Amino acid sequence: MSKTQFADIVIIGGGLNGLAQALAFAVHGVTCHVIDRADQAAMLAPHFDGRVSAISSSSMKLFEAIGLGPALAGKGCPIEQIWVSDGLKPGALDFVPEEGDGYLGQMFENQLIRRALYESAMARPEITLHMPAEIARSKADDAGVRVELKNGDVLTGSLLVVAEGRKSASRDAAGIRLTEWDYAHEAMVTAIFHEKPHRSVAYEIFYPSGPFAILPMLDDEKGRHRSAIVWSVPRAEAGVYRKLSPRGMAHEIEKAMGGLLGAIEMNAPVMGYPLNFQHANRITDTRMVLVGDAAHGMHPIAGQGLNLGLRDVAALAQVVVEGMRLGLDPGDAQILDRYTRWRSLDVQSVMMATDTLNKLFGIPGQTASAARRLGLAAVQRLKPLKDFFMAEARGESGNLPKLLQGLTV
């Protein structure tokens, strides 16, 4: 039998950003519906597909503040150093925190984060999960938010949060346009076993054909050393790589690594993701707000995609909670205007910096390569500039929302 259910917030999208947003509201007593068409049981099946995320120090503080600390404790591999180079040539740049400064971040398997978020959301009385569920129609206007599910249930609220990813139907239906371009590359994502220990070092090697990242992971239960690989290659070449046997792919990855970690074997299948740039021309509409990939999709070159989405999550939670304490409706235009002002500059600067970095390191030729090596060497020598980049990697620069400081609002 169908029913109408009210909550303060209706969230479309139950992925990493959507569930984090629900929990960020819930710890402040704000009620949420979360809708997703995916079957969580299938998403959480015990297998490893190679997908990992670099969680910055500030994002980890958010996870702890919304209750994920115990579930994630000891399951992330610390990043104690980031090594950046133009190919495998001399002149590399390495970021190493001062003693006592803590990690630059941690690498987590996406599935571990998803499970922790889902189980925490299931345990919160402020959150009602509708998964799997299909949306028949939705509307957000001055009167409020109304979402009708295909099973007949009607969900109502005061604010619609769109966290359904890059191909957001809700964003498109609201007439929000994208600035976008195609990189004509594909990210090949996998994981490997390797002979030598990684010593908690993340490598970012820039080749003219695209960046190649080696991201440290915890050893497996047998003590085998592991790392994740994110390799950007021209789309025309990606199909050729996908046809290789596991042994053939391991050979190609080992060659690209230049023997950094010794002999390797495959630990996960190779998954491919087309790379493009997407930026919503506005991130709010009447009683609607975009967070995460629905608002911005960027190149994975700096590993900041999820962290940028979690900054959206923290900022939105803060402006909504503070607004509600002043007696404002969660979907009030003043709240959404504050969110826009807070997030727009940060998002734009991170995305354009990432895009510029990708294009700069993609310029072929010896002259361009020599100039890049000189630039890396200059940053290596200038401590203030190096400290700035490390603060960016930790997600600790700019006007941080309280959740990213490990505090509730």
Side-chain angles (χ1 to χ4, degrees), residues 57-381:
S57 300
S58 61
S59 293
M60 195 64 205
K61 289 176 183 175
L62 179 147
F63 282 161
E64 291 167 353
I66 63 176
L68 303 189
L72 295 179
K75 294 181 180 176
C77 182
I79 301 172
E80 296 181 355
Q81 180 181 352
I82 299 175
W83 190 88
V84 183
S85 68
D86 182 59
L88 293 169
K89 306 179 184 80
L93 170 63
D94 65 287
F95 296 101
V96 185
E98 299 284 344
E99 188 173 349
D101 278 357
Y103 310 137
L104 290 166
Q106 295 184 64
M107 293 302 308
F108 285 93
E109 295 177 24
N110 279 15
Q111 189 189 65
L112 292 175
I113 301 174
R114 184 183 298 277
R115 181 177 296 280
L117 287 165
Y118 179 68
E119 291 179 352
S120 294
M122 286 282 288
R124 298 291 314 202
E126 302 90 346
I127 300 173
T128 305
L129 299 178
H130 306 268
M131 302 179 178
E134 293 279 349
I135 296 173
R137 60 189 63 85
S138 65
K139 181 173 68 171
D141 57 26
D142 291 336
V145 172
R146 179 184 174 90
V147 179
E148 299 177 25
L149 303 181
K150 288 186 177 179
N151 67 3
D153 288 348
V154 178
L155 312 179
T156 62
S158 299
L159 174 65
L160 183 66
V161 177
V162 176
E164 56 190 339
R166 290 191 179 212
K167 297 179 180 179
S168 170
S170 303
R171 176 197 63 213
D172 296 345
I176 299 175
R177 297 190 177 187
L178 295 171
T179 297
E180 57 184 331
W181 51 81
D182 186 3
Y183 288 118
H185 272 60
E186 185 172 301
M188 297 193 303
V189 177
T190 189
I192 58 171
F193 296 117
H194 44 84
E195 178 185 6
K196 300 176 184 177
H198 51 57
R199 304 188 189 282
S200 297
V201 179
Y203 297 89
E204 187 84 47
I205 305 169
F206 291 93
Y207 292 112
S209 58
F212 179 91
I214 310 166
L215 308 169
M217 297 173 63
L218 294 178
D219 290 352
D220 74 355
E221 64 280 357
K222 297 180 180 178
R224 292 179 292 183
H225 307 313
R226 298 191 302 159
S227 290
I229 300 294
V230 181
W231 189 1
S232 174
V233 299
R235 195 163 294 148
E237 296 177 14
V240 177
Y241 283 111
R242 276 198 298 271
K243 293 177 182 176
L244 294 174
S245 67
R247 181 177 293 183
M249 190 67 199
H251 174 74
E252 292 299 321
I253 292 173
E254 189 173 325
K255 191 165 60 174
M257 291 169 64
L260 279 172
L261 298 176
I264 73 162
E265 300 175 41
M266 302 304 292
N267 174 218
V270 178
M271 303 181 70
Y273 300 91
L275 297 178
N276 60 2
F277 178 103
Q278 289 186 351
H279 185 236
N281 293 351
R282 53 191 171 89
I283 55 175
T284 63
D285 197 57
T286 303
R287 292 190 179 276
M288 176 189 288
V289 61
L290 309 183
V291 298
D293 287 354
H296 41 74
M298 57 194 283
H299 197 287
I301 190 171
Q304 290 301 306
L306 178 56
N307 293 307
L308 195 61
L310 293 174
R311 277 145 81 167
D312 294 346
V313 165
L316 182 60
Q318 185 161 332
V319 298
V320 167
V321 170
E322 290 179 346
M324 291 177 72
R325 286 177 183 163
L326 295 174
L328 297 176
D329 184 289
D332 191 285
Q334 295 175 73
I335 291 176
L336 301 189
D337 285 346
R338 186 182 171 203
Y339 174 75
T340 295
R341 291 195 305 272
W342 198 345
R343 294 303 302 135
S344 293
L345 182 59
D346 178 43
V347 168
Q348 187 169 358
S349 61
V350 170
M351 293 191 68
M352 294 312 297
T354 299
D355 180 67
T356 300
L357 192 63
N358 179 59
K359 290 175 179 174
L360 174 66
F361 277 92
I363 300 172
Q366 294 299 317
T367 302
S369 179
R372 287 191 292 267
R373 293 201 304 278
L374 283 173
L376 292 173
V379 176
Q380 179 78 350
R381 290 192 302 269

